[in-house]
Amino acid sequence: MPHTGTVTKPAPAPQHEEHPSKHDRRFGLPIATALVMGNIIGGGIFLLPASVAPFGTISLVAFGVLTVGAIALALVFGRLARRHPRTGGPYVYAREAFGDFAGFLASWSYWITTWVSNAALAVAAVGYLDVLLPIHGSRFWTIVAALTVQWLPALANLAGTRYVGAVQLVSTVLKFAPLLLVAVGGLFFFHADNLGPFRASGDSSLGAVSASAAILLFSYLGVESASVSAGEVRDPERNVGRATVLGTGLAALLYLLCTVAVFGTVAHDRLVDSSAPLSDSVNAMFGGTWGGTAVAIAAIVSMLGALNGWTLLSAQTPYAAAKDGLFPAVFIKKKRGTPTVGVLVAVTLASLLTVYNYTAGSAGVFETLVLVTTFTATVPYLLATAAQIYFLLSGQGHRVSGPRLARDMVLALAAFGFSLWLVGGAGYAAVYQGVLFLFVGVLVYAWMAARKKRVAGDTTD
């Protein structure tokens, strides 16, 4: 039935949960925060300084703008999660505000984001693995390594949420050591002469900020991680919001410090052509070439942690939609607290995409798909922030906030504007292909909605 403006409250979700076991453990605040940080800080931080160096130090302004937008988005998710502490995050908020179709679009779009991102992370991880084990000369072993990098986190997820949390916490702690070494140590070896020009690209200030921001956008995805897994977080009304803001803020701070440190320790003309900027920074600080190996290990650990978290999210999103009859019911099946079918389907799709990337030699196509994830992730962002605005304007502010309605409205509008900026930063080609992905989802929704109505009709008969 088309949505006509009156929101029908979703029916209570059917109980498909298994009895808790020793493998099914809810996350506390530290692990929920690690999940957010681990998903935001994947492999991008190891490449970002060189990627934005051609624009000059004005790219630090883009960092600042993106950080403000990401924090605003994190605050909105935290407020929404207080009243809707269910697994599914943006899907739950969009469906509650605008009905089944909006909820499905949020879920479908976000699901695409998760498994395509996994493929991208795996390929990036193999690039760093090549520093330790030269395998790029063999296409076969490169593919084997990429698939191994994907399936190890999947197996951790299949072992149960208890192990997901353990892997996430350990990987987050381990990867911070070298990152903090660069972020803090680099400040003691900082030389202003290395910075280069403020605006190096010849573009206008606004153009340079926008262009560098477009490169940085993908690295800020993941702020919604705790809200998507709210059903697995202890005391979600408090911890989801706190973990989202803490994780986003700490990740943004680390991004900024690392980039400033690299800018100040590696000469600009060298940084522009660097393929391992953090390695170059460590080498400049302490001499020798051991920095490349250390950073490669940190990058692999970082991306394994990100893959671990994204694999969980790739299963939780269709699980929440399937409970409401908007995804196939097979996604509801859980073992040890993990939606096993969701994990297996996502890792299989990501594996097929990875194999295609290597066998077809389609680097350009794959890079476009990575940008598509920037677009597909912003669809649920836009719907979730629009849901917040809807709740506030429709007199339902008690759902997401207390007395300070104006503050929450400003935050929601800022987060909505930030999400629109993300769409623009993805580029025309990515938006075009992302819309095609969404249209495929519309066909799936038509099938599921028709089936749901048929089943309802049979029940009433």
Side-chain angles (χ1 to χ4, degrees):
M1 181 176 182
H3 187 61
T4 57
T6 301
V7 177
T8 303
K9 186 175 181 179
Q15 298 300 316
H16 296 277
E17 305 287 348
E18 294 186 348
H19 295 294
S21 70
K22 65 179 182 179
H23 304 283
D24 184 4
R25 181 176 295 176
R26 289 178 178 267
F27 305 149
L29 180 60
I31 290 179
T33 303
L35 181 66
V36 175
M37 293 187 70
N39 285 355
I40 293 177
I41 302 175
I45 193 170
F46 297 93
L47 300 173
L48 283 178
S51 299
V52 297
F55 301 101
T57 53
I58 194 173
S59 58
L60 297 177
V61 177
F63 259 118
V65 175
L66 284 170
T67 299
V68 171
I71 293 294
L73 195 59
L75 289 169
V76 170
F77 278 127
R79 279 156 174 72
L80 286 165
R82 287 179 85 90
R83 293 293 179 175
H84 303 283
R86 288 176 48 202
T87 294
Y91 157 74
V92 174
Y93 317 141
R95 182 171 183 261
E96 181 73 16
F98 308 120
D100 284 353
F101 184 62
F104 174 84
L105 281 182
S107 182
W108 176 263
S109 185
Y110 192 76
W111 182 59
I112 293 171
T113 301
T114 56
W115 59 263
V116 176
S117 294
N118 281 356
L121 283 169
V123 172
V126 170
Y128 280 99
L129 183 62
D130 191 54
V131 176
L132 308 176
L133 301 171
I135 57 176
H136 266 23
S138 169
R139 177 179 293 178
F140 173 78
W141 287 112
T142 299
I143 294 174
V144 169
L147 296 181
T148 302
V149 167
Q150 289 181 31
W151 279 90
L152 285 176
L155 293 175
N157 275 265
L158 292 173
T161 53
R162 173 183 183 180
Y163 301 101
V164 174
V167 171
Q168 197 65 36
L169 190 58
V170 170
S171 65
T172 300
V173 171
L174 288 179
K175 71 183 175 185
F176 272 177
L179 294 178
L180 288 174
L181 174 65
V182 174
V184 178
L187 300 180
F188 293 95
F189 295 87
F190 188 93
H191 293 287
D193 293 341
N194 290 326
L195 292 177
F198 177 69
R199 199 175 68 222
S201 64
D203 297 329
S204 65
S205 296
L206 180 60
V209 170
S210 298
S212 54
I215 297 174
L216 301 171
L217 296 179
F218 183 74
S219 299
Y220 272 78
L221 300 180
V223 298
E224 71 293 332
S225 303
S227 67
V228 172
S229 297
E232 281 65 49
V233 177
R234 277 198 306 270
D235 191 11
E237 292 85 352
R238 294 182 59 203
N239 285 336
V240 167
R242 292 162 67 190
T244 300
V245 175
L246 277 173
T248 303
L250 290 174
L253 179 63
L254 192 59
Y255 272 158
L256 187 59
L257 287 177
C258 279
T259 304
V260 170
V262 173
F263 275 13
T265 54
V266 182
H268 180 262
D269 56 350
R270 184 183 174 194
L271 181 61
V272 169
D273 297 321
S274 174
S275 60
L278 268 69
S279 295
D280 291 341
S281 179
V282 172
N283 291 339
M285 284 188 273
F286 304 109
T289 59
W290 60 270
T293 300
V295 171
I297 294 173
I300 293 170
V301 171
S302 175
M303 283 179 275
L304 281 173
L307 277 163
N308 182 63
W310 279 108
T311 299
L312 175 64
L313 300 187
S314 71
Q316 298 291 15
T317 300
Y319 166 78
K323 287 175 67 178
D324 295 323
L326 300 181
F327 258 59
V330 68
F331 284 96
I332 299 176
K333 295 182 180 180
K334 267 192 173 186
K335 287 185 180 179
R336 301 184 181 94
T338 302
T340 53
V341 173
V343 170
L344 291 171
V345 170
V347 73
T348 299
L349 289 172
S351 297
L352 292 173
L353 182 59
T354 303
V355 172
Y356 170 77
N357 175 60
Y358 282 118
T359 56
S362 52
V365 173
F366 192 77
E367 289 170 1
T368 301
L369 288 174
V370 169
L371 284 175
V372 169
T373 65
T374 302
F375 168 74
T376 55
T378 58
V379 173
Y381 288 178
L382 285 166
L383 289 169
T385 52
Q388 167 80 325
I389 294 170
Y390 167 79
F391 290 142
L392 295 174
L393 292 178
S394 62
Q396 302 179 58
H398 64 281
R399 292 187 167 200
V400 288
S401 172
R404 301 185 64 179
L405 184 64
R407 179 199 62 187
D408 282 356
M409 182 60 72
V410 169
L411 279 174
L413 291 173
F416 188 86
F418 174 67
S419 300
L420 281 179
W421 193 30
L422 290 174
V423 173
Y428 291 108
V431 171
Y432 169 76
Q433 295 196 30
V435 169
L436 294 181
F437 274 113
L438 290 183
F439 283 167
V440 172
V442 171
L443 181 62
V444 175
Y445 175 79
W447 169 54
M448 292 302 302
R451 182 179 179 183
K452 187 177 179 181
K453 185 173 182 179
R454 186 172 62 250
V455 171
D458 292 343
T459 303
T460 55
D461 292 341

